[in-house]
Amino acid sequence: MIVDVNGLRGDFPLLSSGVVYLDNAATSLKPRAVIEAMREYYEEYTENVHRGMGRLAQRATDEYEGAREAVASLIGAKPDELVFTSGATASVNLVAQGLSWRKGDEIVVTRMEHHSNMLPWVRASRTHGLRLRFVELDEEGRLDFRSLEEALGPRTRLLAITQASNVTGVVNDVKSAARIAHDAGALVLVDGAQSVPHMPVDVRSMGADFLAFSAHKMLGPTGIGGLYVSEGARGEISPPWLGGGIVSDVTGEEYALLEFPHDMEPGTPNIAGAIGFGAAVRYLARLGMDAVLEHESRLTDVALRALRDVDGLRLLGPWRSDRRLGIFSFAIRNHSVDEVAALLSEMSGIEVRSGYHCAQPLHTRYGFRGTTRASLYLYNTEDEVRLLAESLGRISAILGRSGPGRATDAPAHIGGSKD
Ligand SMILES: Cc1ncc(COP(=O)(O)O)c(C=O)c1O
C-alpha cells in the first residue's frame, strides 16, 4: 500500500493554514477523526469508566477498552498487556518507580536516550544506591554493541534503550540488544516514542519486557500514552500509585488489587484521550505502518540529498537514509540554532524546533551545543522537504560565513561534516 499524501492532507485541519509542519518529533498534527472521536465523547456520552451500569457509562467503558484493544493490536500486544499512562515519560517513570529494586542491581542506559528515558534511571540509581552504566555510541551516532556487552553483567537488572533517537533518527537493533540483555538476565525497557509512530513495531519479535510510547506523536491527543508490559515482566512491577478504581476489596487496612493492567491505572483515567488515541491508531492501521515507513523513507532520501547542498550545514547522525528515520538535527556553521529555526518560520512558514531536544548528553558526545531539528511525518511532501533545504540555503547565505555563534560553535564529526 502507498500513502496517498495529497488525499490525506485534507484530514488535517491545521494544514489548511498553509503551515509547513516539520516538528513532528515534538508532536504531530491531529486528523479530524481524532478530534471528532473526542468531541463525541464529550458531547454524547461523557461518563466515568468501569464504575457505572448506565447506558453512558457502559458506552464510555466500551470505547475506552476498545481503544486499548486498538492500541495494543498496533504493537502486536494483547489488550491486557497495555497500561494507559499520560505518555512515554510517565511510562518510564512507572517502571522506574514500580520495580522492586534489589541491593546491588545495576541499570544500563544508552548515551542516546531522551532525558525521559534517562533521568528516571538516574534518580532510581541514586535513591536505591544502584550503579548506573552508560552504553557509548560510534562515530555515526549508532549504538556500539561492544560497549553494550561490556556494560551488561550478572548484576544488570534493566537495560533502557530507545528504538529510535529523537535527535539523529538512528534506529537501534533493539531485538539484538534485548537478546544480549536477556542472556545477561536483565529486563529490557524500550522507548518507542519515536519508533511506534513511524514504523511497524511488534513487541513479540522485538522481545522487549516494556515498551513506552506517546499518543501525541502519532496523530493522537496529548496527555495519553502506553506502557506495554510482557506477561513475564508483570510480576516484576507493582503499582507505584494507589487509589480508587484499582481495587476489588478494601477492608480498612487491607486491600486487594484488580488484575493487571487495571491495577496500574488508579483514579479517573484520561478517557477522552484514550478514545482519541484509539481513533489515531485506527487511522494509522488503515494506512498501514509499512506504507507510512515507506513514504517517510522516500522523503528522508530526498531530504538527505537536498540538505547535502546547504552550504555549511553539519548534520548530527548518518547521511544514509537506510540508517535513520526522517529526523534531521543540524547546525549551520556556528550560527545560533534558535535563529535558524526562527528564520525558517518567518521566511517560509516552516515549523521546526531548536535546542537540545531533551537529549543533552547525546549533543555533548558529538560536541554540539544544540541543533535545529526538522522532522517528518506521513502528511509531509517532497515539495516541503525541498522548501526546507532551499530555505536553509538562503539562511546560510544571509547569515554569512561567520556569525555570532550563540548556540553552537562545535565541530560536527558525527556522520561527517560536509563542509
Ligand atoms: C525518544 C523520546 N522518548 C521520550 C519522549 C517523551 O515523550 P512525552 O513527552 O510524550 O512523554 C520523547 C518526546 O520527545 C522522545 O522523543
Side-chain angles (χ1 to χ4, degrees), residues 24-27 85-92 112-117 162-167 191-195 212-217 221-225 327 353 357-359 373:
N24 294 287
T27 197
T85 65
S86 68
T89 303
S91 298
V92 175
M112 74 166 80
E113 299 310 312
H114 186 281
H115 295 162
S116 288
N117 196 28
T162 193
Q163 187 167 21
S165 162
N166 67 311
V167 176
D191 178 351
Q194 296 294 345
S195 58
F213 52 108
S214 292
H216 70 95
K217 294 183 197 291
T222 53
I224 183 87
I327 298 177
R353 184 173 158 183
H357 321 300
C358 304
R373 181 183 71 184

Side-chain angles (χ1 to χ4, degrees), residues 83-100:
V83 182
F84 278 131
T85 65
S86 68
T89 303
S91 298
V92 175
N93 274 283
L94 193 156
V95 178
Q97 291 177 30
L99 263 178
S100 46

Side-chain angles (χ1 to χ4, degrees), residues 8-323:
L8 65 77
R9 281 176 69 86
D11 297 341
F12 294 82
L14 214 143
L15 288 176
S16 64
S17 69
V19 67
V20 177
Y21 192 77
L22 298 179
D23 198 14
N24 294 287
T27 197
S28 75
L29 301 182
K30 323 301 172 199
R32 216 167 257 113
V34 167
I35 300 164
E36 188 56 25
M38 296 172 75
R39 184 202 61 75
E40 247 178 52
Y41 166 70
Y42 282 126
E43 289 189 6
E44 296 175 21
Y45 61 99
T46 293
E47 244 292 16
N48 216 320
V49 291
H50 303 138
R51 288 160 170 80
M53 297 311 291
R55 189 177 55 79
L56 298 186
Q58 288 285 351
R59 178 159 177 215
T61 302
D62 288 349
E63 299 281 352
Y64 182 78
E65 290 304 326
R68 194 192 306 274
E69 266 175 47
V71 176
S73 150
L74 189 81
I75 56 166
K78 290 187 273 182
D80 70 355
E81 293 174 317
L82 184 80
V83 182
F84 278 131
T85 65
S86 68
T89 303
S91 298
V92 175
N93 274 283
L94 193 156
V95 178
Q97 291 177 30
L99 263 178
S100 46
W101 297 101
R102 299 179 295 236
K103 195 165 176 287
D105 277 351
E106 294 183 0
I107 305 171
V108 175
V109 303
T110 89
R111 197 68 76 181
M112 74 166 80
E113 299 310 312
H114 186 281
H115 295 162
S116 288
N117 196 28
M118 189 177 281
L119 304 188
W121 310 118
V122 170
R123 188 160 79 176
S125 67
R126 288 206 186 129
T127 307
H128 302 283
L130 314 176
R131 183 168 177 199
L132 183 69
R133 306 181 72 154
F134 280 89
V135 181
E136 301 303 339
L137 312 178
D138 70 12
E139 285 307 305
E140 268 199 306
R142 295 191 298 164
L143 205 69
D144 178 346
F145 268 75
R146 225 184 31 217
S147 170
L148 174 67
E149 286 184 12
E150 281 166 13
L152 293 165
R155 288 180 172 275
T156 311
R157 184 78 187 287
L158 182 129
L159 165 68
I161 179 174
T162 193
Q163 187 167 21
S165 162
N166 67 311
V167 176
T168 62
V170 161
V171 179
N172 286 322
D173 177 0
V174 285
K175 188 174 176 173
S176 298
R179 203 183 47 239
I180 300 168
H182 284 153
D183 285 349
L187 292 164
V188 177
L189 179 139
V190 173
D191 178 351
Q194 296 294 345
S195 58
V196 176
H198 301 280
M199 57 193 272
V201 168
D202 180 75
V203 285
R204 259 166 256 293
S205 66
M206 181 195 290
D209 299 290
F210 307 103
L211 177 74
F213 52 108
S214 292
H216 70 95
K217 294 183 197 291
M218 46 192 292
L219 311 183
T222 53
I224 183 87
L227 173 68
Y228 157 78
V229 181
S230 73
E231 263 177 41
R234 204 173 275 183
E236 303 274 347
I237 53 171
S238 49
W241 310 289
L242 298 177
I246 63 167
V247 282
S248 57
D249 195 26
V250 181
T251 57
E253 285 177 8
E254 299 300 324
Y255 59 87
L257 293 174
L258 290 176
E259 302 251 291
F260 189 92
H262 303 289
D263 59 344
M264 295 286 166
E265 298 175 7
T268 299
N270 182 352
I271 303 165
I275 289 166
F277 195 4
V281 303
R282 285 186 195 104
Y283 187 99
L284 287 169
R286 264 197 308 278
L287 293 176
M289 293 311 294
D290 281 312
V292 170
L293 179 63
E294 197 187 314
H295 171 69
E296 291 180 33
S297 299
R298 201 167 45 76
L299 288 190
T300 299
D301 224 31
V302 174
L304 288 176
R305 268 186 275 125
L307 291 173
R308 272 190 179 277
D309 293 333
V310 177
D311 190 30
L313 184 140
R314 302 173 309 187
L315 182 72
L316 193 43
W319 278 100
R320 286 176 50 172
S321 60
D322 60 343
R323 297 207 166 156

